[in-house]
Amino acid sequence: MSEITFLGTAGGRMVVTSQLRKSGGMWLELDGKNILLDPGPGCLMRSVELGFRPGKLDCIVLSHKHIDHSNDINIMIEAMSGGSFRPRGVLVVPKDALEGNDPVVLKYVRSYIRNNIKVLGPAFKWSLDGVQIETAATMTHADVEAYGLKFIFSGRTVGYITDTKYFAGLPGAFKGCDCLIINMVRITHDARFEHLIPEDVIKVLKVAKPKVAVLNHFGMQVVKAGPDAIAQRIEAATGVRTIAASDGMRFNLDEGKAVIEPMINEFP
Ligand SMILES: [Zn+2]
């Protein structure tokens, strides 16, 4: 069974800090591998609340180091390694998350995974026991390194367009996805922030043509306008099936079906 669980769908500072929507990133179960993507604020709490066992994680992936994506990365490394007593797991992060100004991965927790760290870059490609993780495009997002990603397993592809400004090569870089997750933070462009708006998403989907698009990471403008209504508008404009993620939503990649009921807490 392969499935994506949206631990939280908040994007933008006001929605994250007010927790109007929950935050914490995504838990990917792909061909039996457990991969955590962008462990933002609340990731540990949401994972446990939704019945996941962080000690079962195989890999933690960070698209970029902004706090709404990386806040819980250190505690999730600790959790992945059984509180450091069972060193295991791999970390995949951009170089600027490890060095330079404001490295977000604490040095002492790196030993918990025996420094098993893969450094993301423009041409990154690596296989986690058969689940290939690769950079699809280098994003344009503020002053940090940010990468759009593809996860390829059993002939299927999940794409992830993280926070970015629209650019010409974006749609083509994400062709061939079965499921394409798109961070759509805003409704209108604002020169201060580099984020996608619905019109950008329409341009992406007309070229990329995934089997299904899942919108995620909603800022205040999107929350107020209603993510479901925007998803419908995008679907009508592109002919691409488009879903707005909700907190705790699971998307089953085998059946192409979203389950939006919150999961029962199954923590043992
Ligand atoms: Zn963000």
Side-chain angles (χ1 to χ4, degrees), residues 11-12 64 66 68-69 141 162-163 183 185 195 217:
H64 67 290
H66 281 159
D68 54 326
H69 300 253
H141 188 52
T162 191
D163 300 8
N183 286 3
V185 179
H195 284 301
H217 210 57

Side-chain angles (χ1 to χ4, degrees), residues 6 50 56 66-67 77-78 162 171 191 219 229 239 266:
F6 294 82
L50 293 172
K56 299 263 182 197
H66 281 159
I67 198 165
I77 293 168
E78 185 164 294
T162 191
E266 293 172 343

Side-chain angles (χ1 to χ4, degrees), residues 27 44 47-48 52-57 76 79-81 88 267:
W27 189 297
L44 176 61
S47 300
V48 173
F52 292 110
R53 296 171 70 181
K56 299 263 182 197
L57 278 172
M76 294 313 292
M80 177 166 71
S81 63
R88 62 188 296 281
F267 190 67

Side-chain angles (χ1 to χ4, degrees), residues 130-146:
V131 177
Q132 186 165 303
I133 303 175
E134 64 178 49
T135 296
T138 301
M139 300 312 201
T140 304
H141 188 52
D143 52 351
V144 296
E145 270 188 76

